Amino acid sequence: MTGTSDWTERVDTTVAHPARRYDYWLGGKDNFAADRESGDAIAAAFPAIRTAVVENRAFMRRAVRVLAEQHGIRQYLDIGTGIPTSPNVHEIVQGVSPESRIVYVDNDPIVLAHARALLTSDPQGATAYVDADLRRPAEILADPSLRATLDLSRPTALILVAVVHFLPDSDEPYEIVRTLLDALAPGSFLVMSHATTDGLAPELAAQIQSGRHGPGKLRNRAEFTQFLDGLEILEPGIVSVAEWRAEGEPDPRPTFDEVAVWGAVARKG
């Protein structure tokens, strides 16, 4: 864990960071000029980006509520937490079951500083904050704070929402996700969303994936589905995040092309 004495030294405000850019699109204030410039450039190419991030966040909230209410999940590992935007995972699941335990993981010091200040657990449960990188899953799993908070021999929900698309193929994202899932007990769940090329004009997809806004890869439905190999996919299956169990959301729902993010929740047998 990084202390407050040195976390500010790790923040490079001249380079856009995904968490701060996401915060900007959501209307937050924890971002810098580089984040806004990058965010505006992406929005110019894909004007629906703010709709996409709002719908992605709403998908995560619905998914963890379903797991808490209908499947009795009391442990959550949220990797790529982002800057807190209420309600957060622990607020939702501890509202269902106060004894729920949550570990938030991110590699942006600003995210971690906000998390420690704002993500206050119900006293019956627990939250922890791990400074780690998704590209090093073994380090996440071995972190003392995680081990003190979660019992991985019991079912746990792994949350990978809008984060894996920042991993290019060279980072071996399928192996990373498999390493994390292999560490979880049977009856655990994966909550995952991923930006896609599906529905995008080829020139727009190429522009977004040019590398100008950081590394990563948009993946089509078949590529996203590979992350779920061997898991039991909950209804309604692999769908737009705007459509996943969205019966209670306002109509009309955004079209797939306006969101361009696949989402799914799947169970490990």
Side-chain angles (χ1 to χ4, degrees):
M1 303 282 275
T2 301
T4 56
S5 62
D6 65 348
W7 71 260
T8 54
E9 298 174 7
R10 296 172 51 210
V11 177
D12 185 350
T13 62
T14 67
V15 177
H17 188 282
R20 300 194 302 265
R21 187 169 58 210
Y22 197 91
D23 174 73
Y24 172 57
W25 285 328
L26 286 172
K29 298 180 174 59
D30 298 299
N31 49 75
F32 300 98
D35 308 306
R36 296 188 288 273
E37 179 182 355
S38 176
D40 288 342
I42 293 174
F46 183 47
I49 186 63
R50 289 180 175 85
T51 298
V53 299
V54 167
E55 291 297 334
N56 186 75
R57 189 78 181 173
F59 157 73
M60 181 275 291
R61 291 168 179 159
R62 294 195 302 271
V64 298
R65 183 174 296 280
V66 165
L67 295 185
E69 291 181 344
Q70 300 181 20
H71 298 274
I73 299 300
R74 300 294 179 254
Q75 300 191 124
Y76 298 81
L77 174 57
D78 182 2
I79 302 178
T81 300
I83 293 168
T85 304
S86 186
N88 295 283
V89 172
H90 75 284
E91 293 172 307
I92 297 167
V93 301
Q94 289 182 344
V96 175
S97 182
E99 73 273 17
S100 297
R101 307 174 75 83
I102 300 91
V103 171
Y104 293 104
V105 180
D106 209 288
N107 67 345
D108 181 2
I110 289 180
V111 168
L112 294 166
H114 281 280
R116 294 186 183 114
L118 299 175
L119 305 184
T120 304
S121 175
D122 187 289
Q124 297 181 56
T127 58
Y129 323 102
V130 174
D131 182 357
D133 194 309
L134 175 59
R135 291 170 293 185
R136 294 188 285 276
E139 292 182 14
I140 294 173
L141 294 167
D143 186 274
S145 295
L146 183 150
R147 291 290 177 173
T149 307
L150 304 181
D151 176 1
L152 297 185
S153 69
R154 298 173 53 228
T156 301
L158 170 63
I159 303 171
L160 297 174
V161 167
V163 63
V164 177
H165 52 232
F166 293 113
L167 302 179
D169 288 341
S170 58
D171 282 337
E172 301 184 330
Y174 295 102
E175 288 76 7
I176 288 171
V177 174
R178 185 55 51 188
T179 296
L180 293 166
L181 287 171
D182 285 349
L184 304 183
S188 293
F189 286 84
L190 171 63
V191 177
M192 188 171 180
S193 66
H194 196 298
T196 183
T197 53
D198 296 327
L200 298 183
E203 59 272 18
L204 174 56
Q207 181 177 347
I208 293 174
Q209 300 203 98
S210 65
R212 174 185 172 190
H213 303 289
K217 181 182 178 181
L218 306 185
R219 295 181 172 90
N220 61 31
R221 191 181 192 280
E223 291 171 315
F224 175 69
T225 302
Q226 289 181 48
F227 288 108
L228 310 174
D229 282 353
L231 304 178
E232 175 192 354
I233 302 174
L234 271 59
E235 293 293 337
I238 298 170
V239 296
S240 164
V241 289
E243 296 295 340
W244 196 91
R245 302 203 186 184
E247 296 81 6
E249 299 287 358
D251 286 324
R253 297 274 73 220
T255 67
F256 182 85
D257 291 356
E258 288 176 309
V259 177
V261 179
W262 291 114
V265 178
R267 182 182 184 275
K268 177 179 178 180

